[in-house]
Each structure stands twice: as structure tokens, then as C-alpha cells.
Amino acid sequence: MATIKEIADMAGVSIATVSYVLNNTGKISAETRKKVIETAQTVGYVTNINNHLMHTRQYGNIGVVFDTFKGGYYYTLLEGLGEQVSFRKHTLHLMLGNHNEKKIIENLLSANVDAVIIHSRRIEDSAIHKLKSRGIPMVFLDREIEDDMISSVLTDNVGGITSTMEHLISTGHRRIAFMQGTTGYDGRKRFEAYQKVMKQYSLPIEESLIMRANFDKMHAEYEFTAKFPSMKYIPDAVCCAGDCMAHGVIKALESMGFNVPNDISVTGFDDAIETQSFHIPLTTVRNPIKRIANIAVSETFRLMQSGGRGKTIFVDTEFVERFSCSNKKTRGAIV
């Protein structure tokens, strides 16, 4: 195995410089540090170079933990993360959070990740503490949390649903049903925003018009069809917490003989890929998924390189009016 002197000669630097680099001490330029590390790797200086990597956490792997990769939202998010991480010469280490917490942590640590981007309800406080104790920065996309080496990059769920609800109310809708997503952060915040606007406008929140379909199209179609006979009254709009569920609701309504939007308006959230091919152009909230990915990766690398306190960043949404909503005022609807 090569000696430190041989590494110094090959890299064209002093023995002291090599020692500083391998022991992560001294003020060495990034270019010189990189040259020394690459030279040490080339000549097989395994022990010390591995020690250096353990100290500097420069493995080139960024962990990503999702509960699912299903649906246009996750596809677009993963694509955006991959583009940004690849641009920075790192590699994504993907993990589906369908294991228990202990297994997820073991897999992340064995993958030698430099940082983790997380959108998973399975990562709880104990796992956060364990990753933090190992010096691994974290960026969450599904909860509000900021701490040393921990940030959150979040969709403005409240603003998105508020703009949708205010549009529905301004166009004469009063009996507004709501199709919830999951009980996770995004689903919870969207439902809370619906409740807040309904109360703000003194509109009744009718329990029979509240449904849940876990951001799934088929589940939404089934849920709406099953719940419809027990509804206190027919809604004049259904606000859905996700586009896939909006498509399921529209399919259910059409199978029951209703016309969307003339009889009942339907809205979604995300403006993901599948929305663009649906037969009724969907009124929805544009969730800037690629921008979220960009900001999340930028924040990840900020924490990796400079450390310090994390932050919570909310990314603005945009209301997009298409043809799945009608204006009941112009049609003289009784509200």
C-alpha cells in the first residue's frame, strides 16, 4: 500500500498537506483537497481515505425516502430531485418507506448517505434523532420542522385550498363537499384550510359531505358512490385534496348521470401529469413540484456544506381555472 510520501509526490503537494487532508485538519483549498483524495484512492490508500470520508461525509449519495412512488406527484418530484442532485455530481439513493423505522435507518446508514430528503410518515422523532446524531442533514417535504441541520420545504397547502374555496364561493357554490387525502401533513393542512374557509363564510360543514380517499382515483370513485345515498343534500361542488381523487369523483358523478360542471363542480390539487390527459380540463391548484425539488436539493447542499440552523420554506401555489367548474351565479342557481 502507498505511503503518505508517495501520495504527496504523486499529487505534487507536501507531506503535511496530505496529512491535513486525510485527517480533515488545516486550511486546504477544495481543489487541493480533491486532488489528494483522488490520488489516495487511485493508489489504494484505503484506511485513511475511508477515515477521511467518515469525517467529511463526502460519499456522493443523497438519500430519498418516500412512502410511495405512485402517481404523477411523486413521479414529477422524483424526476426533479434526480435532475438537481445529478447536476451537483451526486447520486440519489432511493428508499420506499414501507419498512419499519429501524430498517429504514439501517439502510440509510449502510448506504453512506451525505444527507436525506424525506417525504414519509414512517420517519418519526426517534429516527430523526438517530440520523441527526450521525451528523446527517435532513430536509423534510411533509412536516414543519427546523433544527440544527434540519429544514422543511413545503407546499403552501393552505393558500392553495383557500384560493380554490374562495373561487367556488364567489361563483355561487355553497354546498361544498370535501374529498380528503391521507392523514399526513399535506392532507391534514388542506382539510383544515377547507374548514377554515367554510367557517369564515358561515357555511355549514356537513359531515355527510366529508370523505377520504387517500389520494387514490379508484378509492375516490368508490367512496363518493358509496357515500352519496347518505348525503344530507346533493353538493353543488366537490373540492378534492388531489387531482387523482377529483378524477375519481368525476367518474362517479358521470356514472350516476350528473353533468360536470353543469350539475356539480369539481376541483383538484397538484396539476400533476395525469390531469393534463383527463377528458374534462380540471380546475385545480398548480403545485410547483419541480420548484419544490429544486429548493429542497439546494437546501440539502447548504446544510451539507455549511451546516447551521435549518429553516422552513413555503412554496407558493397557483390557482388554475379550467372547465370542471361552472358559475352558478350566471346560471341563476338558487344558493
Side-chain angles (χ1 to χ4, degrees):
M1 185 175 71
T3 65
I4 289 180
K5 183 179 184 307
E6 289 171 325
I7 295 171
D9 291 342
M10 292 179 66
V13 299
S14 69
I15 293 175
T17 296
V18 175
S19 179
Y20 286 145
V21 171
L22 295 180
N23 291 287
N24 198 33
T25 59
K27 293 183 179 180
I28 309 296
S29 71
E31 183 180 354
T32 299
R33 186 179 297 276
K34 182 172 183 254
K35 183 192 296 185
V36 171
I37 292 172
E38 289 176 348
T39 302
Q41 289 174 322
T42 299
V43 300
Y45 197 85
V46 178
T47 302
N48 278 356
I49 195 63
N50 281 343
N51 286 339
H52 169 79
L53 290 173
M54 284 294 288
H55 287 297
T56 61
R57 301 215 58 81
Q58 293 300 310
Y59 297 100
N61 295 325
I62 304 298
V64 174
V65 183
F66 288 169
D67 282 337
T68 179
F69 296 138
K70 180 182 178 182
Y73 169 83
Y74 288 100
Y75 175 85
T76 305
L77 181 59
L78 189 56
E79 183 180 51
L81 292 174
E83 289 171 356
Q84 293 300 319
V85 168
S86 176
F87 177 76
R88 290 167 170 81
K89 309 301 183 185
H90 277 58
T91 301
L92 280 185
H93 179 82
L94 307 179
M95 183 174 299
L96 189 62
N98 55 359
H99 302 290
N100 61 46
E101 184 180 275
K102 181 180 178 182
K103 184 67 173 177
I104 293 172
I105 298 303
E106 287 176 354
N107 288 344
L108 287 172
L109 294 177
S110 66
N112 292 326
V113 295
D114 300 326
V116 189
I117 298 171
I118 299 170
H119 196 308
S120 172
R121 288 176 291 164
R122 290 179 173 84
I123 300 296
E124 298 181 356
D125 290 347
S126 57
I128 294 172
H129 177 74
K130 190 163 188 176
L131 290 171
K132 183 179 176 181
S133 70
R134 297 295 186 95
I136 299 176
M138 289 165 272
V139 174
F140 286 89
L141 306 181
D142 65 345
R143 70 194 74 181
E144 294 178 41
I145 177 173
E146 57 183 75
D147 203 339
D148 293 336
M149 305 290 283
I150 302 175
S151 289
S152 296
V153 179
L154 304 165
T155 298
D156 182 11
N157 294 295
V158 173
I161 290 295
T162 299
S163 61
T164 299
M165 292 292 293
E166 289 182 343
H167 172 78
L168 288 172
I169 292 169
S170 70
T171 51
H173 299 82
R174 296 293 182 271
R175 300 182 293 272
I176 304 174
F178 193 83
M179 181 67 76
Q180 301 183 69
T182 64
T183 57
Y185 177 83
D186 290 330
R188 187 174 70 254
K189 288 296 181 181
R190 293 173 194 182
F191 181 53
E192 288 173 357
Y194 159 81
Q195 293 175 303
K196 182 177 179 179
V197 175
M198 291 291 280
K199 291 175 181 177
Q200 179 182 339
Y201 285 87
S202 300
L203 297 176
I205 299 175
E206 173 53 49
E207 288 301 316
S208 65
L209 301 186
I210 306 300
M211 297 153 281
R212 185 187 300 281
N214 298 321
F215 294 115
D216 182 78
K217 178 181 176 180
M218 292 183 65
H219 191 172
E221 180 183 357
Y222 172 82
E223 181 73 6
F224 190 89
T225 302
K227 197 85 177 274
F228 186 79
S230 63
M231 290 182 181
K232 186 176 180 179
Y233 42 69
I234 297 174
D236 48 29
V238 184
C239 179
C240 299
D243 292 340
C244 288
M245 297 188 299
H247 293 172
V249 169
I250 290 174
K251 190 172 181 181
L253 287 168
E254 290 179 338
S255 69
M256 290 187 282
F258 290 100
N259 177 276
V260 177
N262 291 336
D263 297 325
I264 301 176
S265 296
V266 178
T267 67
F269 198 115
D270 282 333
D271 200 27
I273 294 172
E274 57 264 49
T275 300
Q276 300 166 14
S277 61
F278 199 60
H279 70 279
I280 298 178
L282 184 66
T283 294
T284 188
V285 174
R286 181 168 295 144
N287 192 355
I289 303 170
K290 284 286 186 79
R291 177 164 167 73
I292 289 171
N294 191 343
I295 295 171
V297 172
S298 295
E299 185 63 11
T300 299
F301 277 79
R302 180 187 75 80
L303 293 174
M304 285 168 51
Q305 293 164 1
S306 61
R309 184 79 179 181
K311 61 180 73 171
T312 298
I313 303 169
F314 288 97
V315 184
D316 290 340
T317 56
E318 177 188 357
F319 177 72
V320 181
E321 183 179 3
R322 296 197 180 103
F323 301 111
S324 63
C325 288
S326 63
N327 190 325
K328 294 192 175 299
K329 286 185 175 180
T330 60
R331 297 195 294 110
I334 298 175
V335 296

